[in-house]
Short mmCIF file of all heavy atoms in Angstrom, two decimals:
data_model
loop_
_atom_site.label_atom_id
_atom_site.label_comp_id
_atom_site.label_asym_id
_atom_site.label_seq_id
_atom_site.Cartn_x
_atom_site.Cartn_y
_atom_site.Cartn_z
N LEU A 292 7.51 62.69 2.15
CA LEU A 292 7.61 63.76 3.16
C LEU A 292 8.42 63.31 4.37
O LEU A 292 8.58 64.06 5.32
CB LEU A 292 6.21 64.18 3.62
CG LEU A 292 5.35 64.92 2.61
CD1 LEU A 292 4.03 65.29 3.25
CD2 LEU A 292 6.06 66.16 2.12
N GLY A 293 8.91 62.07 4.35
CA GLY A 293 9.69 61.58 5.48
C GLY A 293 8.85 60.98 6.58
O GLY A 293 9.31 60.79 7.69
N LEU A 294 7.58 60.67 6.29
CA LEU A 294 6.70 60.09 7.30
C LEU A 294 6.38 58.64 6.99
O LEU A 294 5.52 58.04 7.60
CB LEU A 294 5.39 60.88 7.39
CG LEU A 294 5.50 62.30 7.89
CD1 LEU A 294 4.21 63.04 7.68
CD2 LEU A 294 5.86 62.29 9.36
N GLY A 295 7.06 58.06 6.01
CA GLY A 295 6.73 56.70 5.59
C GLY A 295 7.48 55.64 6.36
O GLY A 295 7.71 55.79 7.55
N VAL A 296 7.91 54.60 5.66
CA VAL A 296 8.55 53.45 6.29
C VAL A 296 9.81 53.84 7.05
O VAL A 296 10.48 54.82 6.71
CB VAL A 296 8.91 52.40 5.23
CG1 VAL A 296 7.67 51.82 4.63
CG2 VAL A 296 9.79 53.00 4.15
N ASN A 297 10.15 53.04 8.09
CA ASN A 297 11.34 53.33 8.88
C ASN A 297 12.59 52.89 8.12
O ASN A 297 12.61 51.81 7.54
CB ASN A 297 11.30 52.55 10.20
CG ASN A 297 10.04 52.85 10.99
OD1 ASN A 297 8.95 52.90 10.45
ND2 ASN A 297 10.19 53.03 12.27
N ALA A 298 13.64 53.72 8.14
CA ALA A 298 14.91 53.32 7.53
C ALA A 298 15.46 52.12 8.31
O ALA A 298 15.19 52.00 9.50
CB ALA A 298 15.87 54.49 7.59
N PRO A 299 16.23 51.22 7.69
CA PRO A 299 16.69 51.23 6.31
C PRO A 299 15.71 50.61 5.32
O PRO A 299 16.06 50.39 4.18
CB PRO A 299 17.95 50.36 6.40
CG PRO A 299 17.61 49.35 7.43
CD PRO A 299 16.74 50.06 8.44
N MET A 300 14.50 50.29 5.78
CA MET A 300 13.53 49.69 4.88
C MET A 300 13.20 50.68 3.76
O MET A 300 12.96 51.85 4.04
CB MET A 300 12.28 49.34 5.67
CG MET A 300 11.53 48.16 5.13
SD MET A 300 9.97 48.02 5.95
CE MET A 300 10.34 46.81 7.19
N PRO A 301 13.20 50.25 2.52
CA PRO A 301 12.87 51.18 1.44
C PRO A 301 11.41 51.06 1.02
O PRO A 301 10.80 50.00 1.17
CB PRO A 301 13.77 50.69 0.30
CG PRO A 301 13.88 49.23 0.52
CD PRO A 301 13.66 48.96 1.99
N SER A 302 10.83 52.16 0.55
CA SER A 302 9.59 52.07 -0.20
C SER A 302 9.80 52.95 -1.42
O SER A 302 10.74 53.74 -1.45
CB SER A 302 8.40 52.55 0.63
OG SER A 302 8.20 53.91 0.44
N LEU A 303 8.95 52.80 -2.41
CA LEU A 303 9.20 53.55 -3.64
C LEU A 303 9.23 55.05 -3.38
O LEU A 303 10.05 55.78 -3.93
CB LEU A 303 8.14 53.20 -4.68
CG LEU A 303 8.24 51.76 -5.19
CD1 LEU A 303 7.07 51.42 -6.06
CD2 LEU A 303 9.54 51.56 -5.95
N GLY A 304 8.35 55.51 -2.48
CA GLY A 304 8.32 56.93 -2.17
C GLY A 304 9.59 57.39 -1.47
O GLY A 304 10.15 58.44 -1.80
#
Side-chain angles (χ1 to χ4, degrees):
Chain A
L292 290 182
L294 294 169
V296 293
N297 304 44
M300 210 189 263
S302 90
L303 292 172

